[in-house]
Amino acid sequence: MTMTAATPHRGAATSDSPAARRAGLVLLLVCGAIFMLMLDATVVTAALSDIRHDFSAGIDGLQWVIDAYSIPLAGVLLTFATAADRFGRKRMFVAGMILFTASSLALTLADTIVQLDVLRAVQGVGAAMLFATALPLLAEAFPDQKARAKAIGAYGAVMAAATVAGPVLGGLLVTQFGWRSIFLINVPIGIAIAAVAAWRMPRSARALDRRTDWVGSFLLTAGLVAGVFGLTRGNALGWSSPRLIGLAVLAVVLLGAFLAWQFRAAHPLLDVSMLRKRGFTGTAVVSVAHMATLMAASNFLAVYLIGALGYTPLQMGVRLLPISLGALVAAPLAAILLRRVPIAVSLPATMALVALGLWLLGDVAPGDSWTHFVGGMVLGGLGLGAITAVTQAASLTFASTSNAGMASATFGTLRQVGMAVGVAGLGARFSQAAADSAAEGWQHLGSTAEPGLREQFAEAVGAGAGRQAAQGDPLLADLAHAASAAGLNAVSELGTWIAVAAVVLAAVAFGLRRRSA
C-alpha cells in the first residue's frame, strides 16, 4: 500500500496519540526508577560515618556497604538483560522494583554491619534488574531516532539530577532522621512505580529463543568477589601473604574463564561481536576508569569532610555539590556536542578532565578548608557528566535494537566493575596511608600510653574516624586530622595515575581502531 503524505511514518507518533502517551509513561517510569537507583547510590555516602559509628565498623566494612551493592550489579546485570529479552522487559522491571523496595525496607532493620552488607547485595540484585531494562525499554518505546535521542537525553538528565540531589538529600535525611532513613525513603516511591508499571506499562516483545548464561554470570560474579575481597583485606592479611596471592590468582582465573566461556557459550552474556565494533574498547576503558577513580574517591572525600573537618552529613553534602553541578551542566552539553565531536576525541578528553580534577583534590594540608577541593570537584564533575552522556549514547550503537539490553547492560556492568574495584583499591590505600601516618605521628609525640592504644588509634583513623579517634585529646585530634589528610592525598595520587593511564589507553585504542578501519 502506498503511504500518503498525510500518513505518519511507521514508528512515529503524534503527541496526543495512544502510542505517544504510552511512550511518555514508559519514560516517566524508567526515569523515576533510575532517579531512585542513582539517588540510593549517592545518598549512602552521607551515611558512611554514622554507619561506622553505630556498628563500630572498619574501613573494609564500609567499603562493602558500597561494593556489596556494586558487585551484584556487575555480576548479574548482563544476565538479567538477556533474561528480560526472553521473558519480557516489563516483567523484569516490575520484579526488580519489588525486590529493590523490599530490600530497602529490610535495610532499615539491619542490626549488624554484616546484615547491612548482605541486604545491600540483595538490593544490588534488584537494581541490576532495573538497570538491565531501562535503556532497552526506552529504545523499544521510542523507535524513531529523533524521539529516542530526546528520551535518552531526558534519561541522562535525570541521572545527573540524582547525583546533584543525592549528597544533599542524603545529608539532610541522615542529619534529621538518621542513616536508616536513606533506605526508608525508597519504599513509598518503589511501591508507587511498581504498581503503575504493572498496571499501565505496555508489554515488550520477547525473544523466546534467547537463553540465560548462568555459567558466565557465576564466573563473573565469583571473580569479582575474589578480587574485591582481596583488595579490602590486603592491609590486614599483608600484600605478599599467601592467602592474598591465592585470592588474586583465583580472581584472575575466574575472570579469564569468564572471557573464554563467552567465546564458547551458545548463548553468552556478552555479545563478543561488539568487541570488534569501532570504539568499543576505548569506550569500555573510560567506562571502567571514571567510576574507579573520581566516583570511588568521592566516598573518601566525604569521609574526610565529616571525620577530619567536622561537618555534619548535610554540610558535607552541600560541599560536594560542585561535583554534581558540574556533571549536571556537562551531560546535556555533551549530548549536543556528540553530533559534532567523535567519541574518539570526546572520551579521552573528558577522562583527562577527571584526571586533572583528581590531581587538584590532592596535596591537602590539615590547615586547608573545604574550598581547597572546589576546583578539582568542578573539573572532575564536568568530566563525569560528559562521560556519562557520551557512553550512554554510545552503548546503543554497538548492537542492534533486539540486543539493546545486552549492549546497555555491558557498559552498566563495566561501570559497576570500576566502582567496586575502585572503592576497594582506593579504600585500601586510604586506610594504609592514614593508619601509617597516625602510628608514626603517635610515636613522634613520645606518648607513654600503653602500646596497644597506638594500634587502636591508628586503626580508628584508618577506618575514617578522623578526629573522633582522639576521644577529646586535642593533640591526638590534630594528629588524626593530619593522618586523614595523608590518606586522602594517597587516594588522590593513586586515582590520578589510574585516570592518566586510562586516558592513554583510550586514546591508543581509538587510534589503533581508526587506522585499522
Side-chain angles (χ1 to χ4, degrees):
M1 181 182 293
T2 303
M3 185 180 295
T4 65
T7 303
H9 186 277
R10 190 173 68 166
T14 59
S15 60
D16 59 347
S17 68
R21 289 195 295 271
R22 286 194 298 269
L25 177 64
V26 171
L27 177 61
L28 179 64
L29 292 172
V30 166
C31 287
I34 292 303
F35 185 87
M36 187 170 69
L37 297 183
M38 294 300 296
L39 195 68
D40 202 74
T42 54
V43 296
V44 75
T45 300
L48 291 177
S49 181
D50 282 18
I51 291 172
R52 182 201 62 76
H53 180 269
D54 284 0
F55 293 142
S56 299
I59 194 69
D60 54 344
L62 296 182
Q63 288 169 263
W64 279 106
V65 174
I66 302 168
D67 281 348
Y69 183 81
S70 297
I71 288 177
L73 260 174
V76 299
L77 183 55
L78 281 163
T79 300
F80 285 130
T82 54
D85 290 342
R86 181 185 180 192
F87 297 109
R89 292 162 184 167
K90 174 183 175 177
R91 292 179 179 177
M92 187 66 68
F93 181 88
V94 173
M97 184 56 70
I98 292 172
L99 181 60
F100 185 88
T101 303
S103 57
S104 296
L105 179 60
L107 278 162
T108 67
L109 306 175
D111 291 328
T112 66
I113 190 66
V114 174
Q115 289 180 13
L116 188 75
D117 291 341
V118 170
L119 289 169
R120 280 284 283 174
V122 177
Q123 191 185 41
V125 173
M129 298 167 75
L130 293 167
F131 272 118
T133 53
L135 280 178
L137 282 169
L138 293 183
E140 188 173 27
F142 296 90
D144 179 73
Q145 291 294 331
K146 290 184 179 180
R148 182 185 299 176
K150 292 180 180 179
I152 292 175
Y155 175 91
V158 166
M159 293 183 71
T163 63
V164 173
V168 178
L169 180 58
L172 178 62
L173 290 171
V174 172
T175 301
Q176 297 297 322
F177 306 107
W179 63 264
R180 296 177 192 273
S181 62
I182 67 172
F183 301 116
L184 185 61
I185 195 175
N186 294 332
V187 177
I189 301 173
I191 291 173
I193 293 177
V196 175
W199 180 41
R200 299 290 295 173
M201 180 181 281
R203 292 185 179 181
S204 56
R206 296 168 58 186
L208 297 177
D209 60 337
R210 186 159 293 171
R211 296 293 183 268
T212 302
D213 182 13
W214 294 110
V215 173
S217 181
F218 169 77
L219 291 172
L220 177 59
T221 304
L224 288 174
V225 169
V228 170
F229 184 74
L231 286 172
T232 58
R233 298 296 296 163
N235 290 328
L237 296 175
W239 292 100
S240 59
S241 69
R243 290 178 62 185
L244 189 68
I245 293 173
L247 284 169
V249 171
L250 178 62
V252 171
V253 169
L254 288 170
L255 293 176
F258 165 75
L259 291 175
W261 175 254
Q262 296 310 288
F263 285 93
R264 294 182 53 197
H267 300 277
L269 285 179
L270 176 65
D271 181 1
V272 293
S273 67
M274 289 193 297
L275 301 176
R276 295 187 289 270
K277 294 292 182 69
R278 181 174 181 178
F280 179 88
T281 301
T283 306
V285 168
V286 174
S287 296
V288 172
H290 83 283
M291 297 294 290
T293 54
L294 186 58
M295 285 298 291
S298 64
N299 293 286
F300 304 103
L301 176 57
V303 167
Y304 179 82
L305 290 174
I306 294 175
L309 297 186
Y311 292 117
T312 66
L314 176 58
Q315 292 169 334
M316 177 278 298
V318 171
R319 282 158 179 80
L320 285 184
L321 273 177
I323 297 179
S324 302
L325 293 175
L328 184 63
V329 169
L333 291 178
I336 295 172
L337 293 176
L338 184 60
R339 299 178 181 179
R340 300 180 180 179
V341 181
I343 61 173
V345 175
S346 61
L347 281 182
T350 51
M351 190 65 217
L353 275 179
V354 170
L356 181 58
L358 272 164
W359 179 70
L360 291 174
L361 290 179
D363 200 26
V364 60
D368 292 334
S369 71
W370 75 276
T371 56
H372 169 87
F373 305 109
V374 171
M377 287 192 289
V378 170
L379 286 178
L382 290 171
L384 288 176
I387 289 170
T388 299
V390 175
T391 54
Q392 289 287 354
S395 67
L396 294 179
T397 69
F398 295 114
S400 63
T401 301
S402 62
N403 283 331
M406 180 180 289
S408 62
T410 297
F411 286 93
T413 295
L414 291 171
R415 286 190 293 272
Q416 296 306 319
V417 167
M419 188 66 172
V421 174
V423 167
L426 295 183
R429 187 71 188 99
F430 176 91
S431 181
Q432 182 180 40
D436 288 349
S437 177
E440 183 180 355
W442 179 292
Q443 189 171 4
H444 287 165
L445 287 178
S447 175
T448 58
E450 297 180 13
L453 294 178
R454 183 183 71 174
E455 283 71 24
Q456 293 177 14
F457 173 72
E459 183 179 352
V461 173
R467 288 178 170 270
Q468 295 176 7
Q471 298 183 349
D473 187 317
L475 287 178
L476 290 182
D478 290 341
L479 177 57
H481 190 164
S484 299
L488 189 61
N489 288 333
V491 166
S492 171
E493 181 181 9
L494 178 58
T496 300
W497 280 113
I498 295 172
V500 169
V503 173
V504 174
L505 288 173
V508 169
F510 283 120
L512 290 176
R513 186 63 190 172
R514 188 166 54 250
R515 285 195 294 271
S516 63

